[in-house]
Amino acid sequence: MDAAAHAPIGVFDSGVGGLSVLRHIRAQLPREHLLYFADSAFAPYGDKTEQVVAERSLAIAGFLVAQGAKALVVACNTATVAAIKLLRAHYPDMPIVGVEPGLKPGAAASRNGKVGVLATDGTLAGEKFLLLREQISQASNAQFLLQGCTGLADQIELGELDSDATTAMVKRYILPLLDQGVDTLVLGCTHYPLVQAAIETIVAAATPRAIVLVDTGEAVARQLGRLLLAGGKERPEGGAAALLDGYTTASGTALTVAFASLLGLAVAVQEVELGTKSADSA
């Protein structure tokens, strides 16, 4: 065990959606120091090109590494699609975990083979996602019904988890999938578990069928733990309590409020300006 074991883990997302992953990491790895970066000034990522998102992700990773991060979690489906290969090439010795829509667990959970996938348009159009869908479909015979959820991440960024506008939007995206007979819904954006309660209410009112919701945040935390253990980078027991620091490219007050309202945490947040690092240099 070396000094690197005491270094923090960097977690980033386009905004507050990655907090749904952060809560699983805190639950499974309670001794680890954490850095959370919300690129809210640049959100949403879902309507930007993969090149732009890749460049932004490299810049954020560089910032977190400069803060001493020993591992990185790309807590954003769109950024994972666009940048995970570049990040691993740029930091070959660092544990890096991305998130992706839970197609495999969705297929495993489905009883009738019809799985609805809720995600951003950017995720659904990504080559990595399309290849994954083809592989899982062939292996499981599952039928994946894709639903782009334009604007939903934006509503969640605004803190409107249960507003009339958000409820109407969730209904518009989910009800057609239920009408097509899905028995499983994959929450394919890290923002969406933050409105899981609203989704469950809408589903219960729309159908008597049992609908499974798939959130991959727990699997991400487990994989991170495995990589830290394998690399000898787990923070040992004892010593000071685990720390959590926040960074944002937008309003520090807004992220502070999000930590409090979504996770019940009082977190010091620093506002930062971020230059973009070209993906071509990776």
Side-chain angles (χ1 to χ4, degrees):
M1 189 74 65
D2 56 29
H6 294 275
I9 297 163
V11 182
F12 75 88
D13 179 42
S14 62
V16 303
L19 295 179
S20 69
V21 177
L22 185 77
R23 65 185 176 188
H24 287 293
I25 295 173
R26 292 186 72 250
Q28 294 194 35
L29 304 170
R31 298 195 303 269
E32 298 293 344
H33 297 315
L34 299 171
L35 310 173
Y36 184 82
F37 192 107
D39 193 17
S40 297
F42 208 66
Y45 281 0
D47 62 359
K48 297 182 172 61
T49 66
E50 286 198 7
Q51 175 74 11
V52 168
V53 174
E55 291 175 354
R56 197 70 180 175
S57 298
L58 283 170
I60 295 170
F63 175 85
L64 292 170
V65 170
Q67 307 310 306
K70 66 182 178 183
L72 295 173
V73 176
V74 186
C76 172
N77 295 80
T78 302
T80 298
V81 167
I84 195 73
K85 289 182 180 179
L86 284 169
L87 290 171
R88 287 171 175 158
H90 203 79
Y91 301 102
D93 298 323
M94 176 175 288
I96 300 177
V97 182
V99 298
E100 59 186 21
L103 302 190
K104 186 173 182 179
S110 177
R111 301 172 302 282
N112 67 5
K114 291 186 177 182
V115 180
V117 182
L118 304 168
T120 66
D121 295 329
T123 293
L124 297 179
E127 181 180 352
K128 187 174 186 290
F129 170 82
L130 295 174
L131 178 60
L132 178 67
R133 180 186 65 169
E134 182 179 352
Q135 291 173 340
I136 302 300
S137 292
Q138 290 180 352
S140 65
N141 292 320
Q143 178 185 4
F144 294 106
L145 306 178
L146 311 184
Q147 177 61 64
C149 298
T150 304
L152 183 54
D154 294 339
Q155 289 293 109
I156 296 168
E157 280 293 312
L158 294 172
E160 297 190 16
L161 305 186
D162 54 4
S163 70
D164 290 344
T166 300
T167 299
M169 189 176 290
V170 173
K171 284 182 178 179
R172 186 164 71 248
Y173 295 141
I174 288 180
L175 294 183
L177 295 174
L178 296 178
D179 289 342
Q180 294 176 77
V182 304
D183 67 357
T184 304
L185 289 171
V186 173
L187 307 183
C189 170
T190 55
H191 282 74
Y192 302 165
L194 299 176
V195 291
Q196 183 166 333
I199 293 172
E200 289 173 343
T201 298
I202 291 167
V203 167
T207 178
R209 294 181 290 118
I211 306 297
V212 177
L213 301 183
V214 177
D215 167 14
T216 58
E218 184 176 357
V220 169
R222 285 199 305 270
Q223 175 65 3
L224 175 62
R226 285 192 288 266
L227 292 178
L228 293 177
L229 178 62
K233 293 184 176 182
E234 281 189 314
R235 184 168 179 251
E237 294 183 11
L243 302 175
L244 171 57
D245 293 315
Y247 301 91
T248 181
T249 53
S251 165
T253 300
L255 184 57
T256 298
V257 170
F259 272 117
S261 62
L262 299 175
L263 300 184
L265 299 173
V267 178
V269 175
Q270 180 179 341
E271 295 179 7
V272 299
E273 292 185 4
L274 190 70
T276 298
K277 183 174 183 178
S278 174
D280 294 336
S281 66

PDB file of all heavy atoms in Angstrom, residues 101-117 131-145 183-184 186:
ATOM      1  N   PRO A 101     -25.539   2.509 -20.727  1.00  0.00           N
ATOM      2  CA  PRO A 101     -26.891   2.008 -20.477  1.00  0.00           C
ATOM      3  C   PRO A 101     -26.863   0.511 -20.158  1.00  0.00           C
ATOM      4  O   PRO A 101     -26.155  -0.247 -20.806  1.00  0.00           O
ATOM      5  CB  PRO A 101     -27.616   2.292 -21.800  1.00  0.00           C
ATOM      6  CG  PRO A 101     -26.873   3.438 -22.388  1.00  0.00           C
ATOM      7  CD  PRO A 101     -25.440   3.218 -22.012  1.00  0.00           C
ATOM      8  N   GLY A 102     -27.628   0.124 -19.159  1.00  0.00           N
ATOM      9  CA  GLY A 102     -27.564  -1.256 -18.665  1.00  0.00           C
ATOM     10  C   GLY A 102     -28.308  -2.239 -19.546  1.00  0.00           C
ATOM     11  O   GLY A 102     -29.275  -2.880 -19.105  1.00  0.00           O
ATOM     12  N   LEU A 103     -27.843  -2.397 -20.779  1.00  0.00           N
ATOM     13  CA  LEU A 103     -28.531  -3.310 -21.697  1.00  0.00           C
ATOM     14  C   LEU A 103     -28.417  -4.762 -21.241  1.00  0.00           C
ATOM     15  O   LEU A 103     -29.391  -5.516 -21.311  1.00  0.00           O
ATOM     16  CB  LEU A 103     -27.964  -3.157 -23.108  1.00  0.00           C
ATOM     17  CG  LEU A 103     -28.040  -1.768 -23.741  1.00  0.00           C
ATOM     18  CD1 LEU A 103     -27.671  -1.834 -25.213  1.00  0.00           C
ATOM     19  CD2 LEU A 103     -29.426  -1.156 -23.567  1.00  0.00           C
ATOM     20  N   LYS A 104     -27.242  -5.152 -20.790  1.00  0.00           N
ATOM     21  CA  LYS A 104     -27.059  -6.544 -20.368  1.00  0.00           C
ATOM     22  C   LYS A 104     -27.913  -6.875 -19.144  1.00  0.00           C
ATOM     23  O   LYS A 104     -28.668  -7.865 -19.159  1.00  0.00           O
ATOM     24  CB  LYS A 104     -25.586  -6.832 -20.108  1.00  0.00           C
ATOM     25  CG  LYS A 104     -25.294  -8.291 -19.804  1.00  0.00           C
ATOM     26  CD  LYS A 104     -23.801  -8.554 -19.721  1.00  0.00           C
ATOM     27  CE  LYS A 104     -23.504 -10.021 -19.461  1.00  0.00           C
ATOM     28  NZ  LYS A 104     -22.037 -10.268 -19.398  1.00  0.00           N
ATOM     29  N   PRO A 105     -27.850  -6.063 -18.061  1.00  0.00           N
ATOM     30  CA  PRO A 105     -28.746  -6.357 -16.935  1.00  0.00           C
ATOM     31  C   PRO A 105     -30.217  -6.179 -17.291  1.00  0.00           C
ATOM     32  O   PRO A 105     -31.074  -6.877 -16.742  1.00  0.00           O
ATOM     33  CB  PRO A 105     -28.309  -5.374 -15.847  1.00  0.00           C
ATOM     34  CG  PRO A 105     -27.531  -4.315 -16.554  1.00  0.00           C
ATOM     35  CD  PRO A 105     -26.907  -4.979 -17.738  1.00  0.00           C
ATOM     36  N   GLY A 106     -30.508  -5.274 -18.230  1.00  0.00           N
ATOM     37  CA  GLY A 106     -31.889  -5.111 -18.661  1.00  0.00           C
ATOM     38  C   GLY A 106     -32.411  -6.353 -19.350  1.00  0.00           C
ATOM     39  O   GLY A 106     -33.531  -6.806 -19.086  1.00  0.00           O
ATOM     40  N   ALA A 107     -31.586  -6.925 -20.226  1.00  0.00           N
ATOM     41  CA  ALA A 107     -31.974  -8.156 -20.911  1.00  0.00           C
ATOM     42  C   ALA A 107     -32.136  -9.304 -19.926  1.00  0.00           C
ATOM     43  O   ALA A 107     -33.047 -10.127 -20.044  1.00  0.00           O
ATOM     44  CB  ALA A 107     -30.933  -8.512 -21.978  1.00  0.00           C
ATOM     45  N   ALA A 108     -31.246  -9.347 -18.936  1.00  0.00           N
ATOM     46  CA  ALA A 108     -31.307 -10.421 -17.940  1.00  0.00           C
ATOM     47  C   ALA A 108     -32.550 -10.300 -17.066  1.00  0.00           C
ATOM     48  O   ALA A 108     -33.121 -11.315 -16.636  1.00  0.00           O
ATOM     49  CB  ALA A 108     -30.047 -10.400 -17.072  1.00  0.00           C
ATOM     50  N   ALA A 109     -32.972  -9.063 -16.802  1.00  0.00           N
ATOM     51  CA  ALA A 109     -34.118  -8.849 -15.917  1.00  0.00           C
ATOM     52  C   ALA A 109     -35.451  -9.055 -16.626  1.00  0.00           C
ATOM     53  O   ALA A 109     -36.463  -9.353 -15.984  1.00  0.00           O
ATOM     54  CB  ALA A 109     -34.062  -7.437 -15.333  1.00  0.00           C
ATOM     55  N   SER A 110     -35.459  -8.887 -17.948  1.00  0.00           N
ATOM     56  CA  SER A 110     -36.717  -8.948 -18.690  1.00  0.00           C
ATOM     57  C   SER A 110     -37.272 -10.363 -18.755  1.00  0.00           C
ATOM     58  O   SER A 110     -36.544 -11.326 -18.989  1.00  0.00           O
ATOM     59  CB  SER A 110     -36.512  -8.412 -20.106  1.00  0.00           C
ATOM     60  OG  SER A 110     -37.708  -8.518 -20.858  1.00  0.00           O
ATOM     61  N   ARG A 111     -38.568 -10.481 -18.580  1.00  0.00           N
ATOM     62  CA  ARG A 111     -39.246 -11.773 -18.671  1.00  0.00           C
ATOM     63  C   ARG A 111     -39.783 -12.026 -20.074  1.00  0.00           C
ATOM     64  O   ARG A 111     -39.920 -13.172 -20.488  1.00  0.00           O
ATOM     65  CB  ARG A 111     -40.399 -11.827 -17.651  1.00  0.00           C
ATOM     66  CG  ARG A 111     -39.946 -11.631 -16.216  1.00  0.00           C
ATOM     67  CD  ARG A 111     -41.113 -11.504 -15.246  1.00  0.00           C
ATOM     68  NE  ARG A 111     -42.014 -10.394 -15.585  1.00  0.00           N
ATOM     69  CZ  ARG A 111     -41.768  -9.120 -15.320  1.00  0.00           C
ATOM     70  NH1 ARG A 111     -40.640  -8.779 -14.709  1.00  0.00           N
ATOM     71  NH2 ARG A 111     -42.648  -8.175 -15.644  1.00  0.00           N
ATOM     72  N   ASN A 112     -40.113 -10.957 -20.800  1.00  0.00           N
ATOM     73  CA  ASN A 112     -40.675 -11.140 -22.139  1.00  0.00           C
ATOM     74  C   ASN A 112     -39.741 -10.694 -23.258  1.00  0.00           C
ATOM     75  O   ASN A 112     -40.104 -10.734 -24.434  1.00  0.00           O
ATOM     76  CB  ASN A 112     -42.015 -10.412 -22.254  1.00  0.00           C
ATOM     77  CG  ASN A 112     -41.873  -8.888 -22.176  1.00  0.00           C
ATOM     78  OD1 ASN A 112     -40.770  -8.360 -22.130  1.00  0.00           O
ATOM     79  ND2 ASN A 112     -43.006  -8.193 -22.158  1.00  0.00           N
ATOM     80  N   GLY A 113     -38.540 -10.235 -22.894  1.00  0.00           N
ATOM     81  CA  GLY A 113     -37.550  -9.864 -23.903  1.00  0.00           C
ATOM     82  C   GLY A 113     -37.741  -8.486 -24.502  1.00  0.00           C
ATOM     83  O   GLY A 113     -37.021  -8.113 -25.438  1.00  0.00           O
ATOM     84  N   LYS A 114     -38.669  -7.705 -23.959  1.00  0.00           N
ATOM     85  CA  LYS A 114     -38.890  -6.345 -24.453  1.00  0.00           C
ATOM     86  C   LYS A 114     -38.368  -5.349 -23.413  1.00  0.00           C
ATOM     87  O   LYS A 114     -38.911  -5.250 -22.307  1.00  0.00           O
ATOM     88  CB  LYS A 114     -40.367  -6.091 -24.728  1.00  0.00           C
ATOM     89  CG  LYS A 114     -40.913  -6.872 -25.912  1.00  0.00           C
ATOM     90  CD  LYS A 114     -42.340  -6.460 -26.230  1.00  0.00           C
ATOM     91  CE  LYS A 114     -42.858  -7.192 -27.464  1.00  0.00           C
ATOM     92  NZ  LYS A 114     -44.236  -6.758 -27.800  1.00  0.00           N
ATOM     93  N   VAL A 115     -37.316  -4.630 -23.799  1.00  0.00           N
ATOM     94  CA  VAL A 115     -36.626  -3.734 -22.869  1.00  0.00           C
ATOM     95  C   VAL A 115     -36.655  -2.314 -23.423  1.00  0.00           C
ATOM     96  O   VAL A 115     -36.178  -2.062 -24.534  1.00  0.00           O
ATOM     97  CB  VAL A 115     -35.161  -4.177 -22.666  1.00  0.00           C
ATOM     98  CG1 VAL A 115     -34.446  -3.242 -21.697  1.00  0.00           C
ATOM     99  CG2 VAL A 115     -35.099  -5.623 -22.182  1.00  0.00           C
ATOM    100  N   GLY A 116     -37.208  -1.385 -22.660  1.00  0.00           N
ATOM    101  CA  GLY A 116     -37.188   0.016 -23.037  1.00  0.00           C
ATOM    102  C   GLY A 116     -35.912   0.675 -22.546  1.00  0.00           C
ATOM    103  O   GLY A 116     -35.472   0.421 -21.420  1.00  0.00           O
ATOM    104  N   VAL A 117     -35.305   1.501 -23.371  1.00  0.00           N
ATOM    105  CA  VAL A 117     -34.065   2.184 -23.010  1.00  0.00           C
ATOM    106  C   VAL A 117     -34.304   3.686 -23.080  1.00  0.00           C
ATOM    107  O   VAL A 117     -34.566   4.235 -24.152  1.00  0.00           O
ATOM    108  CB  VAL A 117     -32.903   1.795 -23.938  1.00  0.00           C
ATOM    109  CG1 VAL A 117     -31.612   2.499 -23.501  1.00  0.00           C
ATOM    110  CG2 VAL A 117     -32.706   0.285 -23.957  1.00  0.00           C
ATOM    111  N   LEU A 131     -23.141  -0.671 -31.069  1.00  0.00           N
ATOM    112  CA  LEU A 131     -22.436  -1.949 -31.084  1.00  0.00           C
ATOM    113  C   LEU A 131     -22.847  -2.801 -29.889  1.00  0.00           C
ATOM    114  O   LEU A 131     -23.087  -4.009 -30.020  1.00  0.00           O
ATOM    115  CB  LEU A 131     -20.925  -1.713 -31.071  1.00  0.00           C
ATOM    116  CG  LEU A 131     -20.041  -2.962 -31.043  1.00  0.00           C
ATOM    117  CD1 LEU A 131     -20.299  -3.840 -32.268  1.00  0.00           C
ATOM    118  CD2 LEU A 131     -18.564  -2.569 -30.974  1.00  0.00           C
ATOM    119  N   LEU A 132     -22.958  -2.162 -28.717  1.00  0.00           N
ATOM    120  CA  LEU A 132     -23.375  -2.883 -27.511  1.00  0.00           C
ATOM    121  C   LEU A 132     -24.780  -3.441 -27.689  1.00  0.00           C
ATOM    122  O   LEU A 132     -25.050  -4.603 -27.342  1.00  0.00           O
ATOM    123  CB  LEU A 132     -23.325  -1.947 -26.305  1.00  0.00           C
ATOM    124  CG  LEU A 132     -23.771  -2.542 -24.967  1.00  0.00           C
ATOM    125  CD1 LEU A 132     -22.800  -3.625 -24.512  1.00  0.00           C
ATOM    126  CD2 LEU A 132     -23.871  -1.442 -23.901  1.00  0.00           C
ATOM    127  N   ARG A 133     -25.680  -2.638 -28.238  1.00  0.00           N
ATOM    128  CA  ARG A 133     -27.059  -3.104 -28.448  1.00  0.00           C
ATOM    129  C   ARG A 133     -27.079  -4.330 -29.361  1.00  0.00           C
ATOM    130  O   ARG A 133     -27.778  -5.315 -29.081  1.00  0.00           O
ATOM    131  CB  ARG A 133     -27.908  -1.998 -29.059  1.00  0.00           C
ATOM    132  CG  ARG A 133     -29.357  -2.418 -29.297  1.00  0.00           C
ATOM    133  CD  ARG A 133     -30.161  -1.380 -30.029  1.00  0.00           C
ATOM    134  NE  ARG A 133     -29.683  -1.160 -31.393  1.00  0.00           N
ATOM    135  CZ  ARG A 133     -30.346  -0.458 -32.308  1.00  0.00           C
ATOM    136  NH1 ARG A 133     -31.504   0.097 -32.013  1.00  0.00           N
ATOM    137  NH2 ARG A 133     -29.846  -0.293 -33.513  1.00  0.00           N
ATOM    138  N   GLU A 134     -26.290  -4.289 -30.441  1.00  0.00           N
ATOM    139  CA  GLU A 134     -26.247  -5.417 -31.366  1.00  0.00           C
ATOM    140  C   GLU A 134     -25.724  -6.679 -30.687  1.00  0.00           C
ATOM    141  O   GLU A 134     -26.274  -7.770 -30.853  1.00  0.00           O
ATOM    142  CB  GLU A 134     -25.369  -5.060 -32.572  1.00  0.00           C
ATOM    143  CG  GLU A 134     -25.298  -6.147 -33.625  1.00  0.00           C
ATOM    144  CD  GLU A 134     -24.440  -5.758 -34.814  1.00  0.00           C
ATOM    145  OE1 GLU A 134     -24.019  -4.584 -34.886  1.00  0.00           O
ATOM    146  OE2 GLU A 134     -24.193  -6.622 -35.669  1.00  0.00           O
ATOM    147  N   GLN A 135     -24.666  -6.506 -29.902  1.00  0.00           N
ATOM    148  CA  GLN A 135     -24.061  -7.664 -29.223  1.00  0.00           C
ATOM    149  C   GLN A 135     -25.032  -8.291 -28.226  1.00  0.00           C
ATOM    150  O   GLN A 135     -25.198  -9.519 -28.199  1.00  0.00           O
ATOM    151  CB  GLN A 135     -22.781  -7.218 -28.519  1.00  0.00           C
ATOM    152  CG  GLN A 135     -21.648  -6.844 -29.451  1.00  0.00           C
ATOM    153  CD  GLN A 135     -20.461  -6.241 -28.720  1.00  0.00           C
ATOM    154  OE1 GLN A 135     -20.584  -5.760 -27.595  1.00  0.00           O
ATOM    155  NE2 GLN A 135     -19.302  -6.263 -29.352  1.00  0.00           N
ATOM    156  N   ILE A 136     -25.670  -7.439 -27.406  1.00  0.00           N
ATOM    157  CA  ILE A 136     -26.572  -7.965 -26.379  1.00  0.00           C
ATOM    158  C   ILE A 136     -27.830  -8.554 -27.017  1.00  0.00           C
ATOM    159  O   ILE A 136     -28.353  -9.577 -26.558  1.00  0.00           O
ATOM    160  CB  ILE A 136     -26.929  -6.878 -25.355  1.00  0.00           C
ATOM    161  CG1 ILE A 136     -25.673  -6.306 -24.693  1.00  0.00           C
ATOM    162  CG2 ILE A 136     -27.860  -7.441 -24.292  1.00  0.00           C
ATOM    163  CD1 ILE A 136     -24.843  -7.319 -23.960  1.00  0.00           C
ATOM    164  N   SER A 137     -28.313  -7.945 -28.079  1.00  0.00           N
ATOM    165  CA  SER A 137     -29.493  -8.470 -28.766  1.00  0.00           C
ATOM    166  C   SER A 137     -29.229  -9.864 -29.315  1.00  0.00           C
ATOM    167  O   SER A 137     -30.059 -10.772 -29.189  1.00  0.00           O
ATOM    168  CB  SER A 137     -29.900  -7.533 -29.912  1.00  0.00           C
ATOM    169  OG  SER A 137     -30.373  -6.312 -29.441  1.00  0.00           O
ATOM    170  N   GLN A 138     -28.064 -10.042 -29.940  1.00  0.00           N
ATOM    171  CA  GLN A 138     -27.721 -11.345 -30.507  1.00  0.00           C
ATOM    172  C   GLN A 138     -27.528 -12.393 -29.425  1.00  0.00           C
ATOM    173  O   GLN A 138     -27.918 -13.548 -29.585  1.00  0.00           O
ATOM    174  CB  GLN A 138     -26.450 -11.215 -31.352  1.00  0.00           C
ATOM    175  CG  GLN A 138     -26.643 -10.422 -32.640  1.00  0.00           C
ATOM    176  CD  GLN A 138     -25.375 -10.305 -33.458  1.00  0.00           C
ATOM    177  OE1 GLN A 138     -24.289 -10.684 -33.022  1.00  0.00           O
ATOM    178  NE2 GLN A 138     -25.502  -9.756 -34.662  1.00  0.00           N
ATOM    179  N   ALA A 139     -26.943 -11.981 -28.301  1.00  0.00           N
ATOM    180  CA  ALA A 139     -26.658 -12.938 -27.233  1.00  0.00           C
ATOM    181  C   ALA A 139     -27.903 -13.323 -26.443  1.00  0.00           C
ATOM    182  O   ALA A 139     -28.006 -14.448 -25.940  1.00  0.00           O
ATOM    183  CB  ALA A 139     -25.603 -12.359 -26.290  1.00  0.00           C
ATOM    184  N   SER A 140     -28.859 -12.408 -26.340  1.00  0.00           N
ATOM    185  CA  SER A 140     -29.998 -12.629 -25.451  1.00  0.00           C
ATOM    186  C   SER A 140     -31.338 -12.733 -26.169  1.00  0.00           C
ATOM    187  O   SER A 140     -32.336 -13.120 -25.549  1.00  0.00           O
ATOM    188  CB  SER A 140     -30.090 -11.471 -24.451  1.00  0.00           C
ATOM    189  OG  SER A 140     -30.386 -10.258 -25.126  1.00  0.00           O
ATOM    190  N   ASN A 141     -31.369 -12.342 -27.453  1.00  0.00           N
ATOM    191  CA  ASN A 141     -32.617 -12.251 -28.214  1.00  0.00           C
ATOM    192  C   ASN A 141     -33.567 -11.190 -27.676  1.00  0.00           C
ATOM    193  O   ASN A 141     -34.764 -11.188 -28.005  1.00  0.00           O
ATOM    194  CB  ASN A 141     -33.341 -13.607 -28.259  1.00  0.00           C
ATOM    195  CG  ASN A 141     -32.581 -14.628 -29.082  1.00  0.00           C
ATOM    196  OD1 ASN A 141     -32.022 -14.293 -30.126  1.00  0.00           O
ATOM    197  ND2 ASN A 141     -32.545 -15.861 -28.610  1.00  0.00           N
ATOM    198  N   ALA A 142     -33.041 -10.298 -26.853  1.00  0.00           N
ATOM    199  CA  ALA A 142     -33.869  -9.219 -26.325  1.00  0.00           C
ATOM    200  C   ALA A 142     -34.118  -8.167 -27.406  1.00  0.00           C
ATOM    201  O   ALA A 142     -33.273  -7.928 -28.272  1.00  0.00           O
ATOM    202  CB  ALA A 142     -33.184  -8.568 -25.124  1.00  0.00           C
ATOM    203  N   GLN A 143     -35.287  -7.577 -27.339  1.00  0.00           N
ATOM    204  CA  GLN A 143     -35.641  -6.474 -28.235  1.00  0.00           C
ATOM    205  C   GLN A 143     -35.528  -5.173 -27.446  1.00  0.00           C
ATOM    206  O   GLN A 143     -36.220  -4.979 -26.444  1.00  0.00           O
ATOM    207  CB  GLN A 143     -37.070  -6.643 -28.760  1.00  0.00           C
ATOM    208  CG  GLN A 143     -37.535  -5.508 -29.663  1.00  0.00           C
ATOM    209  CD  GLN A 143     -38.990  -5.636 -30.067  1.00  0.00           C
ATOM    210  OE1 GLN A 143     -39.698  -6.540 -29.606  1.00  0.00           O
ATOM    211  NE2 GLN A 143     -39.456  -4.724 -30.898  1.00  0.00           N
ATOM    212  N   PHE A 144     -34.647  -4.275 -27.893  1.00  0.00           N
ATOM    213  CA  PHE A 144     -34.443  -3.010 -27.198  1.00  0.00           C
ATOM    214  C   PHE A 144     -35.210  -1.899 -27.925  1.00  0.00           C
ATOM    215  O   PHE A 144     -34.959  -1.621 -29.096  1.00  0.00           O
ATOM    216  CB  PHE A 144     -32.950  -2.665 -27.127  1.00  0.00           C
ATOM    217  CG  PHE A 144     -32.162  -3.610 -26.274  1.00  0.00           C
ATOM    218  CD1 PHE A 144     -31.313  -4.548 -26.849  1.00  0.00           C
ATOM    219  CD2 PHE A 144     -32.278  -3.580 -24.889  1.00  0.00           C
ATOM    220  CE1 PHE A 144     -30.585  -5.424 -26.064  1.00  0.00           C
ATOM    221  CE2 PHE A 144     -31.555  -4.464 -24.091  1.00  0.00           C
ATOM    222  CZ  PHE A 144     -30.707  -5.389 -24.685  1.00  0.00           C
ATOM    223  N   LEU A 145     -36.141  -1.295 -27.224  1.00  0.00           N
ATOM    224  CA  LEU A 145     -36.932  -0.194 -27.756  1.00  0.00           C
ATOM    225  C   LEU A 145     -36.328   1.103 -27.220  1.00  0.00           C
ATOM    226  O   LEU A 145     -36.348   1.356 -26.018  1.00  0.00           O
ATOM    227  CB  LEU A 145     -38.385  -0.338 -27.332  1.00  0.00           C
ATOM    228  CG  LEU A 145     -39.029  -1.697 -27.671  1.00  0.00           C
ATOM    229  CD1 LEU A 145     -40.455  -1.756 -27.155  1.00  0.00           C
ATOM    230  CD2 LEU A 145     -38.991  -1.947 -29.167  1.00  0.00           C
ATOM    231  N   ASP A 183     -41.304  -4.768 -20.257  1.00  0.00           N
ATOM    232  CA  ASP A 183     -41.440  -5.090 -18.837  1.00  0.00           C
ATOM    233  C   ASP A 183     -40.208  -4.638 -18.055  1.00  0.00           C
ATOM    234  O   ASP A 183     -40.106  -4.874 -16.851  1.00  0.00           O
ATOM    235  CB  ASP A 183     -41.687  -6.592 -18.621  1.00  0.00           C
ATOM    236  CG  ASP A 183     -40.495  -7.462 -18.992  1.00  0.00           C
ATOM    237  OD1 ASP A 183     -39.472  -6.936 -19.480  1.00  0.00           O
ATOM    238  OD2 ASP A 183     -40.582  -8.697 -18.801  1.00  0.00           O
ATOM    239  N   THR A 184     -39.284  -3.976 -18.755  1.00  0.00           N
ATOM    240  CA  THR A 184     -38.056  -3.488 -18.136  1.00  0.00           C
ATOM    241  C   THR A 184     -37.718  -2.124 -18.740  1.00  0.00           C
ATOM    242  O   THR A 184     -37.839  -1.938 -19.954  1.00  0.00           O
ATOM    243  CB  THR A 184     -36.884  -4.460 -18.384  1.00  0.00           C
ATOM    244  OG1 THR A 184     -37.255  -5.759 -17.906  1.00  0.00           O
ATOM    245  CG2 THR A 184     -35.617  -4.002 -17.678  1.00  0.00           C
ATOM    246  N   VAL A 186     -34.586   0.624 -18.817  1.00  0.00           N
ATOM    247  CA  VAL A 186     -33.197   0.942 -18.498  1.00  0.00           C
ATOM    248  C   VAL A 186     -33.063   2.458 -18.393  1.00  0.00           C
ATOM    249  O   VAL A 186     -33.398   3.184 -19.330  1.00  0.00           O
ATOM    250  CB  VAL A 186     -32.243   0.399 -19.586  1.00  0.00           C
ATOM    251  CG1 VAL A 186     -30.813   0.874 -19.338  1.00  0.00           C
ATOM    252  CG2 VAL A 186     -32.305  -1.116 -19.627  1.00  0.00           C
TER     253      VAL A 186
END
